[in-house]
Amino acid sequence: MAEPRWDPARLEARFEQVRAHTESLAEPLSPEDQTVQSMPDVSPTKWHRAHVTWFFETFLLSEVEPDFAPFQDQYWFLFNSYYEAVGPRYTRADRGFITRPGAHDVGLYRQNVDARVRELITQVDGGTLDKLGSTIELGFHHEQQHQELLLMDIKHVLSVNPLRPVYAGTPSPRSEPDTMGWVDVEGGLVEVGHEGAGFSFDNELPRHRAWLEPYRVADRLVTNGEWMEFMADGGYQRHELWLSDGWAKVKAEQWRSPFYWRDDDGTWSEHTLHGTHPVDPGLPVTHVSHYEADAYATWRGMRLPTEPEWEHAVEADGQAHATTDAPALHARSAGPATGHLRQVQGDCWQWTSSAYLPYPGFSAPHGAIGEYNGKFMSGQMVLRGGSALTPPGHARHTYRNFFPASARWPMTGVRLADGGAPA
């Protein structure tokens, strides 16, 4: 008889760890903090806490509990995000209007569902757990995605408060950028995509071949100091540097700097989760859109790496198993040059020049779970590498994040490439 794939004790411990981490991220926030929605892309903290709970209730408990009933009938409607197959949902842009349930009541919802999931994991037979384990694991990674979104969103919420309150922590010591180095990559016929027994999202599959011309990638991310040079040279005023849609955004929204920067009487300051402080020239530039990243690369006479180039460069550099550290809440300086890639994981999501499209042979899973990634494969650009807000152990070098080219509120940065030809 085959050994069970899932060990109940380990699965329960992982469940407890993931769920507790979400609550630890919300702990510094007041109930009022948790209710605010500062723009349509942002969701209130309590909504994130409730939605990931809804996910376990909807895709796990409703499938196996003999006499299943939702914790509260209206929560099924309020905390659905985009799953059409599950039923109607509350308008995303209006989530900040939901003053009830409050943060405390969301906590009661979490406690109820946690107890039911815990009971399920520890009491079902091994064959049933083998059938449910993949859904439970997907729930872990789904909640980790929302842990990062929770931090991204509360950063914006606090940034529009004139008091510029601190979420947590203190900034790192001021740093100066070193000279950008380069890592040459031979290219050739390479394999791209996830392989092995570990977890991956469906959009990382199937592993497939791609042809790459020889190329090179920068050994570190573009810094604030280098971005200031771009600004000083009229980077936001020179139409010839920009893609057409990007230039339209620059004019319509009057972009003059990265998203969280402001000019305080001639000194640039940056809002972070540590508060608002003078811009540190040695830290990676963050919160720039794909349009800005592309314009900067054009200004430098370079380009952004393609998605296959980024992934293959990390593999060729021996860093395929690099992982994120404990969340730092803000990107860190690159540290001394090593002759290898620096800042691969855990500082900024790095824009590529690749559109978010299905891999050859991709097939979305059946049912509502199939809506997780596949239906967003249009009008988005791929990012790689994880950020300082990404939970430890969540990202992989094959992980495909994606946002619209105009998105600036994610913790996004820039790694340059040149040589060869874009795929």
Side-chain angles (χ1 to χ4, degrees):
M1 181 178 294
E3 288 292 322
R5 179 182 174 190
W6 303 99
D7 175 70
R10 294 177 65 181
L11 207 57
E12 182 185 14
R14 179 70 171 141
F15 178 75
E16 300 286 359
Q17 177 190 41
V18 171
R19 298 289 283 172
H21 186 57
T22 300
E23 292 301 280
S24 73
L25 295 178
E27 196 276 332
L29 304 172
S30 68
E32 293 82 2
D33 290 332
Q34 293 195 41
T35 302
V36 175
Q37 182 177 26
S38 49
M39 67 171 177
D41 283 333
V42 162
S43 293
T45 298
K46 71 174 185 182
W47 187 92
H48 287 296
R49 294 171 59 218
H51 167 72
V52 293
T53 305
W54 173 94
F55 188 94
F56 281 109
E57 185 180 44
T58 302
F59 294 113
L60 184 65
L61 298 180
S62 72
E63 295 294 321
V64 296
E65 287 187 339
D67 301 313
F68 172 79
F71 174 78
Q72 210 281 355
D73 288 343
Q74 289 301 312
Y75 288 10
W76 200 264
F77 166 71
L78 288 177
F79 300 124
N80 182 1
S81 54
Y82 53 71
Y83 295 92
E84 300 284 353
V86 175
R89 60 200 184 279
Y90 190 76
T91 304
R92 175 178 178 172
D94 294 341
R95 289 171 183 168
F97 297 155
I98 305 172
T99 58
R100 300 182 186 183
H104 174 74
D105 291 329
V106 167
L108 297 179
Y109 178 37
R110 288 178 64 89
Q111 291 171 20
N112 176 273
V113 170
D114 285 357
R116 292 156 65 190
V117 172
R118 195 179 300 115
E119 181 179 7
L120 183 153
I121 292 173
T122 56
Q123 295 191 10
V124 298
D125 62 79
T128 302
L129 193 59
D130 275 354
K131 295 177 182 178
L132 300 176
S134 295
T135 300
I136 298 171
E137 186 178 41
L138 177 61
F140 297 160
H141 288 269
H142 172 256
E143 182 146 355
Q144 288 182 308
Q145 287 182 313
H146 278 271
Q147 289 165 357
E148 179 161 4
L149 286 167
L150 185 158
L151 292 173
M152 285 167 45
D153 291 355
I154 198 63
K155 181 174 184 176
H156 189 267
V157 167
L158 298 180
S159 77
V160 299
N161 185 327
L163 301 179
R164 297 292 175 112
V166 173
Y167 166 76
T170 57
S172 57
R174 191 171 177 84
S175 58
E176 295 293 334
D178 66 348
T179 301
M180 181 180 290
W182 294 89
V183 174
D184 293 300
V185 188
E186 186 175 339
L189 189 62
V190 305
E191 290 193 337
V192 178
H194 182 80
E195 66 175 349
F199 175 84
S200 72
F201 288 111
D202 57 2
N203 64 358
E204 299 172 54
L205 300 169
R207 191 163 174 87
H208 59 284
R209 293 181 295 177
W211 177 263
L212 301 178
E213 297 294 336
Y215 64 101
R216 65 176 187 164
V217 290
D219 73 334
R220 62 160 172 78
L221 303 179
V222 172
T223 64
N224 288 329
E226 290 164 333
W227 201 267
M228 287 179 171
E229 295 173 4
F230 169 69
M231 292 164 57
D233 197 38
Y236 284 94
Q237 291 81 46
R238 295 170 55 182
H239 66 87
E240 71 272 16
L241 300 176
W242 295 79
L243 296 169
S244 179
D245 287 349
W247 184 241
K249 277 287 185 182
V250 170
K251 293 189 294 182
E253 300 186 8
Q254 299 183 341
W255 292 355
R256 294 293 180 267
S257 66
F259 190 47
Y260 284 115
W261 289 24
R262 68 177 187 181
D263 187 351
D264 293 326
D265 297 325
T267 300
W268 285 104
S269 295
E270 178 179 17
H271 175 75
T272 73
L273 288 168
H274 304 314
T276 303
H277 305 278
V279 170
D280 185 333
L283 297 185
V285 66
T286 60
H287 297 287
V288 291
S289 66
H290 178 269
Y291 293 138
E292 290 165 285
D294 182 83
Y296 178 86
T298 300
W299 176 72
R300 289 284 299 265
M302 298 171 190
R303 60 178 176 83
L304 303 177
T306 66
E307 179 178 15
E309 285 176 337
W310 191 98
E311 183 175 319
H312 176 62
V314 171
E315 287 190 1
D317 198 49
Q319 299 197 56
H321 300 292
T323 59
T324 52
D325 299 324
L329 301 182
H330 196 73
R332 295 150 293 192
S333 62
T338 62
H340 294 276
L341 297 175
R342 296 175 283 170
Q343 300 172 311
V344 169
Q345 293 277 6
D347 287 291
C348 300
W349 288 104
Q350 299 159 41
W351 288 108
T352 72
S353 62
S354 297
Y356 178 53
L357 296 170
Y359 283 162
F362 170 81
S363 178
H366 294 293
I369 288 291
E371 299 184 52
Y372 201 104
N373 282 309
K375 71 180 187 180
F376 298 108
M377 291 176 173
S378 176
Q380 319 252 18
M381 302 301 291
V382 174
L383 302 102
R384 294 298 192 98
S387 81
L389 308 183
T390 306
H394 177 58
R396 298 161 296 285
H397 80 293
T398 59
Y399 194 117
R400 307 178 75 200
N401 201 355
F402 54 92
F403 281 102
S406 60
R408 308 177 87 206
W409 111 102
M411 187 168 279
T412 49
V414 184
R415 187 184 297 273
L416 297 174
D418 69 1

